[in-house]
């Protein structure tokens, strides 16, 4: 049996006639192909239409509209595309945008947003531009500005004691910063009452008000020298107690004279009648003509009675003025012998415990003088001394009283055999100096002459700060910073709609990691989901793994070409 098929409206052309594509181009002629088959011993012949190789109506085309993309020929041969949004770089559905710098950045531009106009502090269009003022955190510089490479630096300056660059203020004799811009006259803050800086004439100290009628003169708080009015006694002592006594003599107080003592008679009566040479009674019946002697002894003339009161006795006043001999029991002159037995002699026991002076021929204290001529002094042979020679130590007095020491080696502090030495700081330290070696030039890390000096960079181990430097008191500290999601201080990276840290310095275009096949972040057009390839000759259109919308091809009868009911393929 022979059956002739009929082509569909899109491909139905009589055999032998020419066919054209959607652009009107001749694609060849239709023909008939006869197929012979044998079934259960019978031969079957089947005529099939053979169509020319026409282009797929869904093949790419160009609708000449710059505002569409993915242009294709439709089933009715109309060339049309899908309307598209173009970013600033002209990329359809692109993510590039004009940033704060007025530059098209991000997306496919290769430019990090805002990176073209960051100032020296990383702020887009910020004020910290090269040539503008800044603070280099160095107290020894002035006129700090940002350089062309964004380094903040100033000009070295000499600061006076008031902190004024190249100022004239200085610490005066009072230890005060004066002159210059301080408004303080140098040395004016410590003048004493006589106008001498740090002088002794301070309020409360003694002075002389040149008034003989005052005592206890002192400088007042307003520097007036004044004393307290005083009453003077007869000895001229202010508020003294001396007074003229019954003898007409200034006595008592500071005179050293007992009142009335200069005119007592032999009975102790001031200006009394019992004066030397006047009569008295010695209460001795063996004497006559009793009178007061010059030393106020009342004595009479013995009636042959010796000085001991023994009639016709042998006792007599000796050279010592003592009644001796006779029955007195006192050896005449024995009470006034000096140490060598000379009556009323001048020899005495000196500081050396030696009888010297007088008739001894021995100079007092000469037998126990030390090497400095001091009786029983400490400067004895073998004791320490000072030979006034800086190159010796352990000076002692020799047996001949010569002071001499032993030659010594001196350390840098001038101490004999000392341990002080010049350290890495160039300072004499250790030994008796009181200075710990190398302690005067340690940097902030304790290294002598090290690089960790105030103002130099450091790491404060705080991830939330930048520009860490050592302070004047060796504290390492930085400036607080804002960090973007990529950990860049003051960076512009942020978590996008895909939940990914993008932009900034990440190298990832925001939202680019979760675009669906239509360029929508987290959109539904995922590979494997349905779509429309705009081709009426396909079915079951779906997005492929590389985001191409493609369907299963249908034959002229609308049946998938992979299988047909009659088994013919």
């Amino acid at each position: 049996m022979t059956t002739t098929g009929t082509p569909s409206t899109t491909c139905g052309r009589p055999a032998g006639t020419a066919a054209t594509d959607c652009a009107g181009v001749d694609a060849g002629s239709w023909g008939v192909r006869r197929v012979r088959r044998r079934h259960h011993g019978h031969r079957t012949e089947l005529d099939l239409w053979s169509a020319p190789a026409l282009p797929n109506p869904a093949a790419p085309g160009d609708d000449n509209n710059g505002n569409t993309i993915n242009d294709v020929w439709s089933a009715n041969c109309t060339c049309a595309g899908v309307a598209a949004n173009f970013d600033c770089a002209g990329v359809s559905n692109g993510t590039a945008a004009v940033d704060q710098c007025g530059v098209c950045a991000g997306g496919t531009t290769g430019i990090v947003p805002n990176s073209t106009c960051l100032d020296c502090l990383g702020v887009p269009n910020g004020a910290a531009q090269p040539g503008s003022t800044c603070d280099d955190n160095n107290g020894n510089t002035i006129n700090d500005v940002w350089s062309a490479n964004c380094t903040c630096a100033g000009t070295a300056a000499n600061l006076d004691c008031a902190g004024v660059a190249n100022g004239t203020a200085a610490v005066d004799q009072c230890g005060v910063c004066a002159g210059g811009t301080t408004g303080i006259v140098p040395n004016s803050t410590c003048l004493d009452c006589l106008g001498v800086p740090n002088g002794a004439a301070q309020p409360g100290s003694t002075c002389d008000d040149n008034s003989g009628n005052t005592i206890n003169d002192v400088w007042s708080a307003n520097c007036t020298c004044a004393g307290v009015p005083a009453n003077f006694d007869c000895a001229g002592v202010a508020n003294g107690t001396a007074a003229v006594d019954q003898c007409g003599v200034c006595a008592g107080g500071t005179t050293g004279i007992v009142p009335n003592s200069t005119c007592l008679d032999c009975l102790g009566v001031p200006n009394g009648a019992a004066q030397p040479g006047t009569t008295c009674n010695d209460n001795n019946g063996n004497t006559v003509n009793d009178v007061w002697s010059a030393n106020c002894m009342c004595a009479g003339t013995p009636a042959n009675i010796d000085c001991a009161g023994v009639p016709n006795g042998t006792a007599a006043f000796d050279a010592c003025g003592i009644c001796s001999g006779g029955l007195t029991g006192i050896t005449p002159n024995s009470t006034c012998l000096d140490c060598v037995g000379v009556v009323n002699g001048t020899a005495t026991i000196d500081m050396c415990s030696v009888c010297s002076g007088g008739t001894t021929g021995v100079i007092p204290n000469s037998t126990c003088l030390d090497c400095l001529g001091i009786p029983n002094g400490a400067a004895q042979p073998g004791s320490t001394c000072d030979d006034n020679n800086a190159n010796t130590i352990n000076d002692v007095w020799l047996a001949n009283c010569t002071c001499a020491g032993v030659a010594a080696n001196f350390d840098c502090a001038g101490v004999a055999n000392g341990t002080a030495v010049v350290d890495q700081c160039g300072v004499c330290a250790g030994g008796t100096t009181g200075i710990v070696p190398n302690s005067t030039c340690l940097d902030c890390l304790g290294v002598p002459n090290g690089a960790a000096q105030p103002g130099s960079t450091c790491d404060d181990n705080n991830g939330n700060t930048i520009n860490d430097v050592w302070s004047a008191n060796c504290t390492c500290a930085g400036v607080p910073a804002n960090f973007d999601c990529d950990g860049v201080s003051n960076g512009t990276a942020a978590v996008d709609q895909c939940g990914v840290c993008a932009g900034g310095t990440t190298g990832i275009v925001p939202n680019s990691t979760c675009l669906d096949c239509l360029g929508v972040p987290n959109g539904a057009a995922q590979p494997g989901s349905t779509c429309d390839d705009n081709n009426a000759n396909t079915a079951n259109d779906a997005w492929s793994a590389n985001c191409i919308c493609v369907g299963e091809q249908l034959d002229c009868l609308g049946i998938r070409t992979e299988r047909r009911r009659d088994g013919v393929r």
Side-chain angles (χ1 to χ4, degrees):
M1 175 179 178
T2 301
T3 302
T4 302
T6 302
S8 66
T9 55
T10 56
C11 57
R13 291 179 182 272
T17 61
T20 58
D21 63 7
C22 292
V25 178
D26 185 4
S29 300
W30 290 80
V32 177
R33 178 170 60 92
R34 175 160 292 182
V35 178
R36 291 182 176 87
R37 294 186 180 179
R38 208 172 270 282
H39 182 67
H40 298 296
H42 298 280
R43 187 177 66 181
T44 301
E45 293 184 356
L46 174 67
D47 294 337
L48 298 178
W49 289 103
S50 176
L54 293 176
N56 190 338
D62 184 2
D63 64 358
N64 294 313
N65 184 346
N67 295 320
T68 61
I69 58 173
N70 301 324
D71 303 344
V72 294
W73 292 104
S74 67
N76 61 0
C77 281
T78 298
C79 184
V82 180
N85 292 322
F86 292 89
D87 65 5
C88 59
V91 176
S92 63
N93 298 317
T95 59
V98 176
D99 61 9
Q100 296 179 50
C101 305
V103 173
C104 183
T108 60
T109 63
I111 301 173
V112 176
N114 300 321
S115 63
T116 61
C117 64
L118 297 180
D119 70 359
C120 292
L121 292 177
V123 178
N125 296 309
Q129 300 296 328
S132 63
T133 59
C134 60
D135 183 3
D136 64 0
N137 294 314
N138 184 347
N140 296 319
T141 61
I142 57 174
N143 302 324
D144 303 344
V145 293
W146 291 107
S147 67
N149 63 355
C150 277
T151 298
C152 182
T155 304
N158 293 321
L159 304 180
D160 66 7
C161 60
V164 177
N166 301 317
T168 58
V171 176
D172 61 11
Q173 297 180 50
C174 306
V176 173
C177 183
T181 59
T182 64
I184 302 172
V185 176
N187 301 321
S188 63
T189 61
C190 65
L191 296 179
D192 70 358
C193 292
L194 294 176
V196 178
N198 296 311
Q202 301 295 328
S205 62
T206 59
C207 60
D208 184 1
D209 64 357
N210 294 314
S211 172
N213 296 319
T214 60
I215 58 172
N216 300 325
D217 303 345
V218 294
W219 290 107
S220 68
N222 62 356
C223 280
T224 298
C225 182
V228 179
N231 293 318
F232 293 89
D233 65 4
C234 60
V237 176
N239 299 318
T241 59
V244 177
D245 61 6
Q246 297 178 51
C247 305
V249 174
C250 184
T254 59
T255 62
I257 303 172
V258 176
N260 301 318
S261 63
T262 60
C263 64
L264 296 177
D265 69 357
C266 291
L267 294 176
V269 178
N271 297 311
Q275 299 295 326
T278 61
T279 61
C280 62
N281 183 0
D282 65 356
N283 293 312
N284 185 347
N286 297 318
T287 60
V288 294
N289 302 320
D290 300 344
V291 293
W292 292 107
S293 68
N295 59 357
C296 277
M297 291 182 62
C298 182
T301 302
N304 294 321
I305 297 173
D306 67 7
C307 63
V310 177
N312 297 315
T314 59
F317 287 99
D318 61 11
C320 303
I322 300 297
C323 181
S324 61
L327 300 175
T328 62
I330 301 172
T331 302
N333 300 318
S334 63
T335 60
C336 63
L337 297 176
D338 68 4
C339 60
V340 292
V342 175
V343 176
N344 293 315
T346 58
T348 58
I349 302 298
D350 63 10
M351 297 169 68
C352 305
S353 299
V354 172
C355 184
S356 60
T359 59
T360 63
V362 180
I363 298 173
N365 301 319
S366 63
T367 61
C368 65
L369 296 178
D370 70 357
C371 292
L372 293 176
I374 299 174
N376 296 312
Q380 301 296 328
S383 62
T384 60
C385 61
D386 184 1
D387 64 359
N388 293 314
N389 183 349
N391 295 319
T392 61
I393 58 173
N394 302 325
D395 304 344
V396 294
W397 291 108
L398 302 179
N400 62 355
C401 278
T402 299
C403 182
V406 179
N409 294 319
F410 293 88
D411 65 6
C412 61
V415 176
N417 298 320
T419 58
V421 295
V422 176
D423 61 10
Q424 296 180 50
C425 306
V427 174
C428 184
T432 60
T433 62
I435 302 171
V436 176
N438 301 322
S439 63
T440 60
C441 65
L442 297 180
D443 68 358
C444 292
L445 294 176
V447 178
N449 297 310
Q453 301 295 327
S456 63
T457 59
C458 61
D459 184 0
D460 63 1
N461 292 315
N462 183 347
N464 295 320
T465 61
I466 58 174
N467 301 325
D468 304 344
V469 295
W470 290 109
S471 68
N473 63 355
C474 278
T475 298
C476 181
V479 179
N482 292 320
F483 292 87
D484 65 8
C485 61
D486 197 33
V488 177
S489 61
N490 299 317
T492 58
V495 176
D496 61 10
Q497 297 180 49
C498 306
V500 173
C501 183
T505 58
T506 63
I508 301 172
V509 177
N511 301 321
S512 63
T513 60
C514 66
L515 297 178
D516 69 357
C517 292
L518 293 176
V520 178
N522 297 310
Q526 301 296 328
S529 64
T530 60
C531 61
D532 183 1
D533 64 358
N534 294 312
N535 184 351
N537 296 319
T538 61
N540 301 322
D541 302 346
W543 291 107
S544 68
N546 59 355
C547 277
I548 296 174
C549 183
V550 62
E552 298 173 342
Q553 191 71 35
L554 301 178
D555 63 7
C556 292
L557 297 177
I559 300 173
R560 289 167 49 189
T561 57
E562 289 89 330
R563 50 193 169 85
R564 288 183 53 172
R565 295 194 177 194
D566 58 6
V568 179
R569 298 184 61 86

